[in-house]
Amino acid sequence: MARSRIVILGAGPAGVGAAWQLAKQGKADVTVLEQRDDVGGNAGSFEVAGMQVDYGSHRLHPACEPRILDDLRELLGDDLMSRPRHGRIRLQGRWIHFPLKPQDLALRLPLSFSGGVALDMTRKLVRPARENGHETFTSVLERGLGSTICRDFYFPYAVKIWGMPPEELSATQAHRRVSAGSLGKMAKKIISIVPGFKTPGAGRFFYPREGFGQISRAIANAATDLGADIRTGSTVNKIEFGVVHRVSYERSGETYTVEADRVWSTLPITVLAKIASPDVPQRVINASKQISYRAMVLIYLVVDQPQWTEFDAHYFPETEIKLTRLSEPKNYSGGNGPKERTVLCGELPCMVNDDTWNASDEELGELCRESLEKCGVPIKASISAVVTKRLAFAYPIYREGYEDHFNIQDEWASGLDRVLTFGRQGLFAHDNTHHALAMAYGAVDCLDDAGNFSADKWSAYRKEFGKHVVED
């Protein structure tokens, strides 16, 4: 009996992870189509000034499923390093270590902030807040964390990341995006890194020696070795659903078609509706226009010195600083890279085709440099180059009421014969890489050796995916 032919759209962690497991378990003949020239998607890496850098700040968290982590350790060996987290947050003009440390909280927090948090905690003990009807991002976090942390950290950060007032964001954004959503959970995370109370993996992360994209590359290579066909530089422009599905894509100026028994898509669900044939119901098209993604411009500064600071990442919740985060990839990889220079990566959320998106490299480099000067941490060495990258689908925006529009698209996609949409973009989820890999493993688990896909099993997995909370 011939094996199923599965075409996977997108070679991010979910796409290559599914391809690898399908090939490894002998469940299907797999073709992967990827628009970029390399695998990894937004979790990929590329070279700048002789150094592997990522599309922003990425870590593999210890919360990764043990079976997945074991597989990655086997693939990467000693290249998958365990690293201490060593970042910092700028709060009311002061730098606080991140993850939060008790000594920093005791000695470095502004008095107005620590006093406000203490007052909020006292109020919660005296009169616990209760759910009151309709919930939003604002109400969930204020009830859980109090007004001080929300006012000085989460709410201004939310405006910068998602580009809208926090009260216009869905409560889902709070549940899925804020891992320490209450003062109790925040205290537990702080205590978890204290000697004597330390939990396994607390205050650490896993990172590959050659950049975060090494994870997807290693998976893709393993899948290819087992017979999977991964075609990069291939832009999918049409999917014709039928007895045999036909996927058309463009590569090097030529149009090609590949046939499939099943199509598994990790593309943004809004994009899937645009390239599907026969015609998609108008209500699905309309719904796709009502949900959106936050874009991101990444600004890479090549600095002519071995190391800029000892910190891996710097977070900027303050609204007067346009950057949301700045990372130093060399510090993630333990100093791997050229000895005479380092690279900094500034993250600047925006919308596609707004002024930020259309700014020149020179303007963006200057914005980054000025932001750091304003924070009192100027770059004193020369900047020999500025490189920028633009991500159109950086974060899903969970506007109030988005669930109704997403559900219309999700029900349509779920109703397609022998079609699966999954992964971070396919499920409109603001998830980590270990979550995307869990989706890949789950999808393959639902396909039996005879090529039958269990919808009931997938539904159970979807419920688990809905509980994912982003690790910062």
Side-chain angles (χ1 to χ4, degrees):
M1 181 177 177
R3 293 194 301 184
S4 295
R5 298 168 299 174
I6 296 181
V7 171
I8 298 176
L9 312 181
V16 294
W20 179 40
Q21 290 302 304
L22 286 169
K24 188 178 182 181
Q25 298 176 36
K27 289 186 173 182
D29 293 324
V30 187
T31 302
V32 182
L33 302 176
E34 166 58 41
Q35 178 174 310
R36 287 183 184 165
D37 293 328
D38 197 4
V39 299
N42 288 358
S45 298
F46 60 98
E47 186 177 302
V48 171
M51 188 181 309
Q52 285 294 314
V53 300
D54 307 328
Y55 291 95
S57 173
H58 291 275
R59 302 177 180 86
L60 183 66
H61 296 276
C64 183
E65 281 187 33
R67 61 170 177 161
I68 299 174
L69 185 54
D70 287 345
D71 281 349
L72 295 179
R73 281 174 165 153
E74 185 176 346
L75 278 184
L76 292 163
D78 292 340
D79 276 0
L80 188 61
M81 303 179 294
S82 175
R83 300 283 298 147
R85 295 203 61 176
H86 189 40
R88 59 182 182 174
I89 297 172
R90 184 175 161 85
L91 190 63
Q92 293 186 2
R94 296 190 186 183
W95 290 106
I96 311 297
H97 192 274
F98 188 80
L100 299 173
K101 291 184 176 182
Q103 60 266 36
D104 263 16
L105 297 181
L107 302 174
R108 297 192 60 80
L109 277 180
L111 185 60
S112 60
F113 184 85
S114 56
V117 173
L119 184 59
D120 291 339
M121 188 177 293
T122 302
R123 287 170 177 160
K124 284 173 66 63
L125 291 173
V126 173
R127 186 179 299 174
R130 296 192 178 97
E131 291 188 25
N132 185 22
H134 179 68
E135 293 278 78
T136 66
F137 179 86
T138 299
S139 63
V140 169
L141 290 190
E142 283 188 333
R143 186 179 70 249
L145 294 170
S147 60
T148 303
I149 293 175
C150 290
R151 181 193 66 232
D152 291 345
F153 181 73
Y154 278 110
F155 290 173
Y157 212 37
V159 172
K160 292 171 70 173
I161 291 178
W162 294 297
M164 57 195 309
E167 58 269 19
E168 294 181 18
L169 293 168
S170 167
T172 306
Q173 191 84 73
H175 295 308
R176 295 289 297 273
R177 185 61 183 86
V178 183
S179 57
S182 70
L183 290 172
K185 288 181 180 178
M186 185 170 286
K188 187 176 180 181
K189 291 189 80 168
I190 296 168
I191 293 171
S192 73
I193 65 172
V194 177
F197 298 92
K198 198 166 187 175
T199 57
R204 301 192 72 85
F205 64 99
F206 296 103
Y207 191 83
R209 199 176 304 276
E210 297 297 331
F212 199 76
Q214 189 179 358
I215 293 176
S216 293
R217 288 172 185 162
I219 294 173
N221 289 339
T224 301
D225 289 343
L226 293 169
D229 182 4
I230 299 178
R231 305 177 188 178
T232 56
S234 302
T235 302
V236 177
N237 48 39
K238 188 177 184 181
I239 310 171
E240 296 176 81
F241 298 120
V243 176
V244 174
H245 301 324
R246 294 169 59 84
V247 181
S248 299
Y249 64 97
E250 187 174 307
R251 190 182 196 190
S252 301
E254 299 288 335
T255 299
Y256 301 89
T257 300
V258 60
E259 295 186 342
D261 301 304
R262 295 184 177 277
V263 172
W264 288 10
S265 173
T266 69
L267 303 180
I269 194 167
T270 52
V271 172
L272 184 64
K274 294 177 182 177
I275 61 176
S277 177
D279 291 342
V280 177
Q282 190 59 46
R283 66 192 295 267
V284 176
I285 298 296
N286 292 341
S288 72
K289 296 175 181 177
Q290 297 303 313
I291 67 172
S292 56
Y293 293 80
R294 188 72 160 154
M296 178 83 75
V297 171
L298 300 169
I299 311 163
Y300 300 88
L301 306 181
V302 180
V303 182
D304 295 330
Q305 64 186 92
Q307 185 184 44
W308 182 57
T309 75
E310 65 186 85
F311 299 99
D312 49 34
H314 314 254
Y315 298 82
F316 309 97
E318 297 157 312
T319 52
E320 61 268 25
I321 307 299
K322 290 189 176 182
L323 297 176
T324 52
R325 178 168 57 186
L326 181 134
S327 55
E328 188 166 359
K330 212 173 187 181
N331 293 346
Y332 284 62
S333 63
N336 196 40
K339 301 296 184 185
E340 70 278 6
R341 58 182 173 274
T342 189
V343 175
L344 308 180
C345 173
E347 301 178 25
L348 191 57
C350 62
M351 298 302 289
V352 173
N353 286 328
D354 68 6
D355 289 344
T356 298
W357 181 270
N358 291 323
S360 68
D361 288 3
E362 183 180 0
E363 291 170 329
L364 293 167
E366 185 61 18
L367 181 151
C368 193
R369 190 191 63 76
E370 287 179 352
S371 294
L372 297 177
E373 278 193 0
K374 192 177 292 187
C375 291
V377 284
I379 299 173
K380 296 180 180 178
S382 62
I383 298 171
S384 56
V386 177
V387 176
T388 62
K389 294 287 185 180
R390 288 162 174 78
L391 306 178
F393 300 97
Y395 301 129
I397 301 176
Y398 290 173
R399 283 188 177 86
E400 273 263 69
Y402 89 93
E403 295 93 341
D404 293 338
H405 304 298
F406 170 75
N407 288 338
I408 290 172
Q409 296 170 86
D410 191 36
E411 287 171 9
W412 162 75
S414 299
L416 295 172
D417 183 32
R418 293 167 290 120
V419 175
L420 180 70
T421 180
F422 69 116
R424 190 175 190 265
Q425 307 289 11
L427 295 184
F428 199 63
H430 190 162
D431 279 353
N432 300 116
T433 293
H434 67 278
H435 294 139
L437 288 170
M439 293 180 195
Y441 276 58
V444 175
D445 188 39
C446 292
L447 188 74
D448 66 23
D449 292 335
N452 301 307
F453 190 85
S454 173
D456 290 341
K457 208 170 184 179
W458 180 244
S459 179
Y461 271 114
R462 285 287 301 268
K463 288 178 182 176
E464 288 302 310
F465 301 156
K467 299 174 186 176
H468 287 170
V469 179
V470 173
E471 298 278 347
D472 294 315

PDB file of all heavy atoms in Angstrom, residues 15-40:
ATOM      1  N   GLY A  15       6.606  23.194  10.920  1.00  0.00           N
ATOM      2  CA  GLY A  15       6.660  22.538   9.615  1.00  0.00           C
ATOM      3  C   GLY A  15       7.756  21.493   9.523  1.00  0.00           C
ATOM      4  O   GLY A  15       7.516  20.349   9.133  1.00  0.00           O
ATOM      5  N   VAL A  16       8.988  21.873   9.899  1.00  0.00           N
ATOM      6  CA  VAL A  16      10.085  20.904   9.806  1.00  0.00           C
ATOM      7  C   VAL A  16       9.950  19.827  10.877  1.00  0.00           C
ATOM      8  O   VAL A  16      10.323  18.659  10.655  1.00  0.00           O
ATOM      9  CB  VAL A  16      11.478  21.588   9.897  1.00  0.00           C
ATOM     10  CG1 VAL A  16      11.717  22.479   8.693  1.00  0.00           C
ATOM     11  CG2 VAL A  16      11.655  22.363  11.205  1.00  0.00           C
ATOM     12  N   GLY A  17       9.378  20.208  12.042  1.00  0.00           N
ATOM     13  CA  GLY A  17       9.166  19.219  13.097  1.00  0.00           C
ATOM     14  C   GLY A  17       8.210  18.129  12.652  1.00  0.00           C
ATOM     15  O   GLY A  17       8.444  16.937  12.877  1.00  0.00           O
ATOM     16  N   ALA A  18       7.125  18.516  11.983  1.00  0.00           N
ATOM     17  CA  ALA A  18       6.157  17.546  11.482  1.00  0.00           C
ATOM     18  C   ALA A  18       6.770  16.694  10.375  1.00  0.00           C
ATOM     19  O   ALA A  18       6.574  15.472  10.329  1.00  0.00           O
ATOM     20  CB  ALA A  18       4.909  18.259  10.973  1.00  0.00           C
ATOM     21  N   ALA A  19       7.524  17.334   9.481  1.00  0.00           N
ATOM     22  CA  ALA A  19       8.178  16.590   8.394  1.00  0.00           C
ATOM     23  C   ALA A  19       9.115  15.531   8.947  1.00  0.00           C
ATOM     24  O   ALA A  19       9.149  14.385   8.469  1.00  0.00           O
ATOM     25  CB  ALA A  19       8.934  17.555   7.483  1.00  0.00           C
ATOM     26  N   TRP A  20       9.889  15.910   9.953  1.00  0.00           N
ATOM     27  CA  TRP A  20      10.845  14.976  10.552  1.00  0.00           C
ATOM     28  C   TRP A  20      10.146  13.784  11.188  1.00  0.00           C
ATOM     29  O   TRP A  20      10.508  12.625  10.959  1.00  0.00           O
ATOM     30  CB  TRP A  20      11.697  15.719  11.579  1.00  0.00           C
ATOM     31  CG  TRP A  20      12.711  14.853  12.276  1.00  0.00           C
ATOM     32  CD1 TRP A  20      13.482  13.868  11.716  1.00  0.00           C
ATOM     33  CD2 TRP A  20      13.073  14.919  13.654  1.00  0.00           C
ATOM     34  NE1 TRP A  20      14.301  13.322  12.673  1.00  0.00           N
ATOM     35  CE2 TRP A  20      14.070  13.946  13.867  1.00  0.00           C
ATOM     36  CE3 TRP A  20      12.664  15.725  14.728  1.00  0.00           C
ATOM     37  CZ2 TRP A  20      14.668  13.739  15.120  1.00  0.00           C
ATOM     38  CZ3 TRP A  20      13.261  15.531  15.959  1.00  0.00           C
ATOM     39  CH2 TRP A  20      14.240  14.550  16.146  1.00  0.00           C
ATOM     40  N   GLN A  21       9.107  14.064  11.980  1.00  0.00           N
ATOM     41  CA  GLN A  21       8.412  12.973  12.659  1.00  0.00           C
ATOM     42  C   GLN A  21       7.645  12.074  11.685  1.00  0.00           C
ATOM     43  O   GLN A  21       7.583  10.855  11.861  1.00  0.00           O
ATOM     44  CB  GLN A  21       7.474  13.541  13.725  1.00  0.00           C
ATOM     45  CG  GLN A  21       8.195  14.154  14.915  1.00  0.00           C
ATOM     46  CD  GLN A  21       9.121  13.165  15.606  1.00  0.00           C
ATOM     47  OE1 GLN A  21       8.694  12.088  16.030  1.00  0.00           O
ATOM     48  NE2 GLN A  21      10.401  13.516  15.709  1.00  0.00           N
ATOM     49  N   LEU A  22       7.071  12.647  10.640  1.00  0.00           N
ATOM     50  CA  LEU A  22       6.392  11.838   9.622  1.00  0.00           C
ATOM     51  C   LEU A  22       7.383  10.896   8.932  1.00  0.00           C
ATOM     52  O   LEU A  22       7.102   9.711   8.723  1.00  0.00           O
ATOM     53  CB  LEU A  22       5.721  12.742   8.586  1.00  0.00           C
ATOM     54  CG  LEU A  22       4.449  13.466   9.021  1.00  0.00           C
ATOM     55  CD1 LEU A  22       4.070  14.530   7.988  1.00  0.00           C
ATOM     56  CD2 LEU A  22       3.292  12.481   9.215  1.00  0.00           C
ATOM     57  N   ALA A  23       8.549  11.445   8.578  1.00  0.00           N
ATOM     58  CA  ALA A  23       9.564  10.632   7.908  1.00  0.00           C
ATOM     59  C   ALA A  23      10.162   9.597   8.860  1.00  0.00           C
ATOM     60  O   ALA A  23      10.387   8.436   8.494  1.00  0.00           O
ATOM     61  CB  ALA A  23      10.658  11.539   7.347  1.00  0.00           C
ATOM     62  N   LYS A  24      10.412  10.015  10.080  1.00  0.00           N
ATOM     63  CA  LYS A  24      11.016   9.133  11.082  1.00  0.00           C
ATOM     64  C   LYS A  24      10.124   7.938  11.386  1.00  0.00           C
ATOM     65  O   LYS A  24      10.607   6.804  11.566  1.00  0.00           O
ATOM     66  CB  LYS A  24      11.283   9.945  12.358  1.00  0.00           C
ATOM     67  CG  LYS A  24      12.076   9.222  13.437  1.00  0.00           C
ATOM     68  CD  LYS A  24      12.308  10.168  14.598  1.00  0.00           C
ATOM     69  CE  LYS A  24      13.141   9.508  15.691  1.00  0.00           C
ATOM     70  NZ  LYS A  24      13.340  10.438  16.849  1.00  0.00           N
ATOM     71  N   GLN A  25       8.809   8.186  11.432  1.00  0.00           N
ATOM     72  CA  GLN A  25       7.863   7.117  11.754  1.00  0.00           C
ATOM     73  C   GLN A  25       7.331   6.408  10.510  1.00  0.00           C
ATOM     74  O   GLN A  25       6.519   5.488  10.619  1.00  0.00           O
ATOM     75  CB  GLN A  25       6.699   7.690  12.576  1.00  0.00           C
ATOM     76  CG  GLN A  25       7.144   8.273  13.921  1.00  0.00           C
ATOM     77  CD  GLN A  25       6.002   8.929  14.690  1.00  0.00           C
ATOM     78  OE1 GLN A  25       4.867   8.457  14.655  1.00  0.00           O
ATOM     79  NE2 GLN A  25       6.309  10.013  15.389  1.00  0.00           N
ATOM     80  N   GLY A  26       7.802   6.849   9.337  1.00  0.00           N
ATOM     81  CA  GLY A  26       7.406   6.192   8.093  1.00  0.00           C
ATOM     82  C   GLY A  26       5.934   6.313   7.769  1.00  0.00           C
ATOM     83  O   GLY A  26       5.358   5.438   7.119  1.00  0.00           O
ATOM     84  N   LYS A  27       5.313   7.405   8.185  1.00  0.00           N
ATOM     85  CA  LYS A  27       3.870   7.550   8.006  1.00  0.00           C
ATOM     86  C   LYS A  27       3.482   8.194   6.689  1.00  0.00           C
ATOM     87  O   LYS A  27       2.325   8.113   6.284  1.00  0.00           O
ATOM     88  CB  LYS A  27       3.287   8.372   9.162  1.00  0.00           C
ATOM     89  CG  LYS A  27       3.274   7.632  10.496  1.00  0.00           C
ATOM     90  CD  LYS A  27       2.563   8.437  11.566  1.00  0.00           C
ATOM     91  CE  LYS A  27       2.401   7.631  12.848  1.00  0.00           C
ATOM     92  NZ  LYS A  27       1.673   8.379  13.907  1.00  0.00           N
ATOM     93  N   ALA A  28       4.409   8.887   6.022  1.00  0.00           N
ATOM     94  CA  ALA A  28       4.044   9.595   4.791  1.00  0.00           C
ATOM     95  C   ALA A  28       5.294   9.956   4.000  1.00  0.00           C
ATOM     96  O   ALA A  28       6.407  10.013   4.541  1.00  0.00           O
ATOM     97  CB  ALA A  28       3.253  10.861   5.122  1.00  0.00           C
ATOM     98  N   ASP A  29       5.094  10.214   2.710  1.00  0.00           N
ATOM     99  CA  ASP A  29       6.109  10.847   1.881  1.00  0.00           C
ATOM    100  C   ASP A  29       5.870  12.348   1.984  1.00  0.00           C
ATOM    101  O   ASP A  29       4.753  12.821   1.734  1.00  0.00           O
ATOM    102  CB  ASP A  29       5.986  10.383   0.427  1.00  0.00           C
ATOM    103  CG  ASP A  29       6.326   8.911   0.266  1.00  0.00           C
ATOM    104  OD1 ASP A  29       7.228   8.430   0.978  1.00  0.00           O
ATOM    105  OD2 ASP A  29       5.685   8.228  -0.541  1.00  0.00           O
ATOM    106  N   VAL A  30       6.899  13.090   2.341  1.00  0.00           N
ATOM    107  CA  VAL A  30       6.705  14.493   2.728  1.00  0.00           C
ATOM    108  C   VAL A  30       7.447  15.446   1.801  1.00  0.00           C
ATOM    109  O   VAL A  30       8.619  15.247   1.477  1.00  0.00           O
ATOM    110  CB  VAL A  30       7.200  14.732   4.172  1.00  0.00           C
ATOM    111  CG1 VAL A  30       6.835  16.152   4.628  1.00  0.00           C
ATOM    112  CG2 VAL A  30       6.630  13.704   5.124  1.00  0.00           C
ATOM    113  N   THR A  31       6.739  16.508   1.394  1.00  0.00           N
ATOM    114  CA  THR A  31       7.344  17.642   0.700  1.00  0.00           C
ATOM    115  C   THR A  31       7.053  18.894   1.507  1.00  0.00           C
ATOM    116  O   THR A  31       5.898  19.124   1.893  1.00  0.00           O
ATOM    117  CB  THR A  31       6.778  17.811  -0.720  1.00  0.00           C
ATOM    118  OG1 THR A  31       7.008  16.614  -1.468  1.00  0.00           O
ATOM    119  CG2 THR A  31       7.437  18.981  -1.434  1.00  0.00           C
ATOM    120  N   VAL A  32       8.064  19.682   1.779  1.00  0.00           N
ATOM    121  CA  VAL A  32       7.901  20.937   2.518  1.00  0.00           C
ATOM    122  C   VAL A  32       8.225  22.095   1.591  1.00  0.00           C
ATOM    123  O   VAL A  32       9.271  22.093   0.922  1.00  0.00           O
ATOM    124  CB  VAL A  32       8.825  20.992   3.751  1.00  0.00           C
ATOM    125  CG1 VAL A  32       8.602  22.293   4.527  1.00  0.00           C
ATOM    126  CG2 VAL A  32       8.598  19.787   4.657  1.00  0.00           C
ATOM    127  N   LEU A  33       7.336  23.082   1.544  1.00  0.00           N
ATOM    128  CA  LEU A  33       7.535  24.263   0.713  1.00  0.00           C
ATOM    129  C   LEU A  33       7.745  25.482   1.614  1.00  0.00           C
ATOM    130  O   LEU A  33       6.896  25.783   2.460  1.00  0.00           O
ATOM    131  CB  LEU A  33       6.332  24.489  -0.206  1.00  0.00           C
ATOM    132  CG  LEU A  33       5.985  23.324  -1.144  1.00  0.00           C
ATOM    133  CD1 LEU A  33       4.718  23.645  -1.932  1.00  0.00           C
ATOM    134  CD2 LEU A  33       7.145  23.030  -2.097  1.00  0.00           C
ATOM    135  N   GLU A  34       8.861  26.158   1.429  1.00  0.00           N
ATOM    136  CA  GLU A  34       9.222  27.295   2.269  1.00  0.00           C
ATOM    137  C   GLU A  34       9.612  28.486   1.405  1.00  0.00           C
ATOM    138  O   GLU A  34      10.437  28.378   0.503  1.00  0.00           O
ATOM    139  CB  GLU A  34      10.375  26.921   3.192  1.00  0.00           C
ATOM    140  CG  GLU A  34      11.079  28.076   3.885  1.00  0.00           C
ATOM    141  CD  GLU A  34      10.140  28.935   4.735  1.00  0.00           C
ATOM    142  OE1 GLU A  34       9.263  28.367   5.418  1.00  0.00           O
ATOM    143  OE2 GLU A  34      10.288  30.181   4.693  1.00  0.00           O
ATOM    144  N   GLN A  35       9.023  29.636   1.693  1.00  0.00           N
ATOM    145  CA  GLN A  35       9.260  30.846   0.902  1.00  0.00           C
ATOM    146  C   GLN A  35      10.687  31.370   1.044  1.00  0.00           C
ATOM    147  O   GLN A  35      11.302  31.789   0.065  1.00  0.00           O
ATOM    148  CB  GLN A  35       8.268  31.922   1.328  1.00  0.00           C
ATOM    149  CG  GLN A  35       8.440  33.253   0.607  1.00  0.00           C
ATOM    150  CD  GLN A  35       7.333  34.241   0.972  1.00  0.00           C
ATOM    151  OE1 GLN A  35       6.155  33.894   0.920  1.00  0.00           O
ATOM    152  NE2 GLN A  35       7.712  35.441   1.347  1.00  0.00           N
ATOM    153  N   ARG A  36      11.223  31.361   2.248  1.00  0.00           N
ATOM    154  CA  ARG A  36      12.572  31.871   2.463  1.00  0.00           C
ATOM    155  C   ARG A  36      13.613  30.889   1.916  1.00  0.00           C
ATOM    156  O   ARG A  36      13.303  29.749   1.580  1.00  0.00           O
ATOM    157  CB  ARG A  36      12.817  32.107   3.952  1.00  0.00           C
ATOM    158  CG  ARG A  36      12.080  33.317   4.519  1.00  0.00           C
ATOM    159  CD  ARG A  36      12.435  33.514   5.966  1.00  0.00           C
ATOM    160  NE  ARG A  36      11.680  34.613   6.571  1.00  0.00           N
ATOM    161  CZ  ARG A  36      11.578  34.824   7.876  1.00  0.00           C
ATOM    162  NH1 ARG A  36      12.200  34.014   8.720  1.00  0.00           N
ATOM    163  NH2 ARG A  36      10.877  35.835   8.357  1.00  0.00           N
ATOM    164  N   ASP A  37      14.861  31.352   1.905  1.00  0.00           N
ATOM    165  CA  ASP A  37      15.955  30.512   1.412  1.00  0.00           C
ATOM    166  C   ASP A  37      16.541  29.618   2.495  1.00  0.00           C
ATOM    167  O   ASP A  37      17.511  28.910   2.262  1.00  0.00           O
ATOM    168  CB  ASP A  37      17.056  31.393   0.816  1.00  0.00           C
ATOM    169  CG  ASP A  37      16.602  32.101  -0.452  1.00  0.00           C
ATOM    170  OD1 ASP A  37      15.775  31.519  -1.179  1.00  0.00           O
ATOM    171  OD2 ASP A  37      17.052  33.227  -0.696  1.00  0.00           O
ATOM    172  N   ASP A  38      15.971  29.663   3.682  1.00  0.00           N
ATOM    173  CA  ASP A  38      16.441  28.827   4.774  1.00  0.00           C
ATOM    174  C   ASP A  38      15.238  28.423   5.615  1.00  0.00           C
ATOM    175  O   ASP A  38      14.155  29.028   5.528  1.00  0.00           O
ATOM    176  CB  ASP A  38      17.453  29.594   5.632  1.00  0.00           C
ATOM    177  CG  ASP A  38      18.287  28.690   6.534  1.00  0.00           C
ATOM    178  OD1 ASP A  38      18.132  27.450   6.450  1.00  0.00           O
ATOM    179  OD2 ASP A  38      19.086  29.217   7.323  1.00  0.00           O
ATOM    180  N   VAL A  39      15.423  27.405   6.442  1.00  0.00           N
ATOM    181  CA  VAL A  39      14.332  26.946   7.303  1.00  0.00           C
ATOM    182  C   VAL A  39      14.359  27.732   8.614  1.00  0.00           C
ATOM    183  O   VAL A  39      15.290  28.470   8.901  1.00  0.00           O
ATOM    184  CB  VAL A  39      14.469  25.435   7.578  1.00  0.00           C
ATOM    185  CG1 VAL A  39      14.391  24.649   6.281  1.00  0.00           C
ATOM    186  CG2 VAL A  39      15.768  25.117   8.325  1.00  0.00           C
ATOM    187  N   GLY A  40      13.309  27.565   9.409  1.00  0.00           N
ATOM    188  CA  GLY A  40      13.258  28.194  10.724  1.00  0.00           C
ATOM    189  C   GLY A  40      12.209  29.271  10.869  1.00  0.00           C
ATOM    190  O   GLY A  40      11.785  29.590  11.980  1.00  0.00           O
TER     191      GLY A  40
END
